[in-house]
Every structure is written in structure tokens, then in C-alpha cells.
């Protein structure tokens, strides 16, 4: 058993914000005594009852590109264990976001090959017998923070034994080294205050995705 603090991280490989946050939390692993445990959630599931209220471009993205990747991810977890998700997510995110490949079927198939997972997992792209498990994993994460947010969701043990869970942080570029640790400490500090609700900062420029 590890003595490190478990950090549960729910992601959808489609989301660039979750990708940036995931790269930050891996930096935190290097400077704080934590161990990340990966879980799948789904923007398609989150928004399936809201499609008529979404902008057309985002609605089309969810309808045509969001289901396949998470089906393959949940199949990989169910058939090969949760321990494969970290490396698989890194392979997926590198190809989808860093290399600009997008969440296509061939990109997901290539990511499977990158980490040595069976090519047959891509057969779950259009449908999977693990839909109930996908929805249960999504529900576990989203119910910790509420339906009005998205991915990523992070949960850590609190001092009273109850989990502290939060959406985000939304950050780009992903902090490195000591800066990553300081952001982690600050995030836990505000998230652990029972009455804390939200904080936003002023911005002088748009998000920086230059290091995706």
C-alpha cells in the first residue's frame, strides 16, 4: 500500500482544459507526496440532455466525436485495469492535443499502439458493453461537484476523512516544478474551506495553448 495521498482525477480525453490540468497534476506528483488515480468521465454524457441549448459547433462535436474515445477508454479500464489509464491518457492527449490530431478513430487506435494495449479495443468505438460502467464512472465524479461544471474533477481526502472535490483548476500553460506545487497548495487551501464557493481573476489576455 502506498503512503502517498491519493488524488482521484476524472477526465474526458476530448477536453483541452482537462489535458492541461492533468499535465499540471503530474508535475505536482514530482514535488508533493501524492499519487494520481485516473477515472473517465464524459462530456457527451454530461450534455446529452442539453444539446438543444448548445451552440451548433459544440453540439456537433459532442454528437460526432465525443463518444468514441471515452468508450475505448472505459473498455481499456474494464479489460486491463485502472492502472493502464494514466499512460493511455498521456498517449491520447499527446496525439489529440499536442500534435493536433483531434479525437478521431485512427488517433485513438494509434494511442492504443503507443502504450501496447490491444488493437481490438478500438472495436468499442461505436458501441460498448461497458456503457453502464462509463456512466457510473462519470456519475461518481460529477456528483462530487455538481452538474453545472465539466471536466476535470479532482478529489482528495480531507482532514475529517471526507473527500474534498473541485472542478479544475483551469490553467494554461501547465505550471512546472515549484510553481506547480504552490498552485496545488493554494487550491487545496481554498477548496478545504467549507464556505468557499468560487474565485475568478481578471485577465489581460486569452488562454495560452502554445505548449499543447
Amino acid at each position: 500500500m502506498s503512503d502517498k495521498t491519493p488524488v482521484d482525477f476524472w477526465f474526458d480525453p476530448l477536453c483541452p482544459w482537462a489535458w492541461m490540468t492533468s499535465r499540471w497534476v503530474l508535475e505536482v506528483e514530482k514535488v508533493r507526496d501524492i499519487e494520481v488515480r485516473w477515472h473517465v468521465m464524459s462530456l457527451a454524457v454530461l450534455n446529452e440532455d442539453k444539446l438543444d441549448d448548445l451552440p451548433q459547433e459544440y453540439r456537433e462535436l459532442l454528437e460526432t466525436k465525443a463518444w468514441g474515445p471515452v468508450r475505448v477508454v472505459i473498455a481499456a479500464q474494464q479489460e486491463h485495469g485502472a492502472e493502464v489509464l494514466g499512460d493511455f491518457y498521456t498517449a491520447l492527449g499527446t496525439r489529440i492535443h499536442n500534435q493536433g490530431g483531434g479525437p478521431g478513430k485512427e488517433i485513438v487506435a494509434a494511442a492504443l499502439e503507443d502504450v501496447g494495449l490491444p488493437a481490438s479495443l478500438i472495436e468499442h468505438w461505436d458501441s460498448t458493453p461497458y456503457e453502464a460502467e462509463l456512466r457510473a464512472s462519470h456519475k461518481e465524479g460529477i456528483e462530487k461537484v455538481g452538474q453545472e461544471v465539466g471536466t476535470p474533477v479532482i478529489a482528495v481526502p480531507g482532514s475529517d476523512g471526507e473527500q474534498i472535490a473541485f472542478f479544475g483548476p483551469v490553467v494554461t500553460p501547465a505550471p512546472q516544478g515549484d510553481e506547480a506545487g504552490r498552485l496545488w497548495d493554494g487550491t487545496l487551501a481554498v477548496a478545504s474551506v467549507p464556505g468557499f464557493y468560487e474565485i475568478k481573476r481578471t485577465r489581460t489576455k486569452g488562454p495560452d495553448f502554445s505548449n499543447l
Side-chain angles (χ1 to χ4, degrees):
M1 296 292 291
S2 174
D3 293 330
K4 295 184 177 182
T5 300
V7 174
D8 291 294
F9 190 110
W10 280 264
F11 69 93
D12 184 321
L14 186 71
C15 179
W17 295 109
W19 174 245
M20 295 301 293
T21 305
S22 73
R23 300 310 93 184
W24 161 68
V25 83
L26 287 178
E27 280 294 307
V28 177
E29 268 194 327
K30 301 175 184 177
V31 295
R32 295 294 185 270
D33 200 24
I34 69 168
E35 183 174 36
V36 182
R37 304 186 300 197
W38 304 97
H39 309 268
V40 64
M41 63 183 298
S42 171
L43 292 172
V45 172
L46 179 66
N47 291 285
E48 63 184 345
D49 295 329
K50 312 170 189 175
L51 291 176
D52 290 342
D53 299 324
L54 299 176
Q56 181 178 355
E57 183 178 0
Y58 188 47
R59 183 171 66 249
E60 290 177 354
L61 176 70
L62 293 175
E63 290 177 329
T64 62
K65 297 183 178 180
W67 284 103
V70 292
R71 286 175 179 146
V72 177
V73 171
I74 197 66
Q77 177 188 350
Q78 291 297 307
E79 296 184 7
H80 299 278
E83 62 272 13
V84 306
L85 291 189
D87 288 343
F88 187 30
Y89 182 29
T90 291
L92 283 169
T94 299
R95 286 184 172 273
I96 292 171
H97 302 295
N98 290 38
Q99 298 174 4
K105 189 174 183 178
E106 69 284 353
I107 294 297
V108 176
L112 289 170
E113 184 177 0
D114 289 341
V115 296
L117 285 168
S120 58
L121 285 168
I122 202 66
E123 296 172 8
H124 294 265
W125 181 269
D126 293 314
S127 64
T128 179
Y130 305 119
E131 182 171 339
E133 288 82 0
L134 170 61
R135 290 178 178 274
S137 181
H138 172 84
K139 181 180 180 181
E140 182 185 11
I142 202 66
E143 285 191 344
K144 295 180 184 297
V145 292
Q147 298 289 331
E148 70 276 7
V149 298
T151 174
V153 171
I154 297 177
V156 299
S159 59
D160 60 358
E162 296 292 326
Q163 274 193 324
I164 300 168
F166 49 90
F167 160 69
V170 175
V171 58
T172 180
Q176 306 290 303
D178 290 341
E179 186 181 26
R182 290 195 300 272
L183 178 57
W184 177 254
D185 297 339
T187 300
L188 291 188
V190 297
S192 65
V193 175
F196 177 76
Y197 180 67
E198 185 177 40
I199 186 171
K200 289 187 177 181
R201 57 163 292 182
T202 57
R203 306 204 62 84
T204 57
K205 59 181 181 179
D208 178 8
F209 289 117
S210 61
N211 62 342
L212 280 181

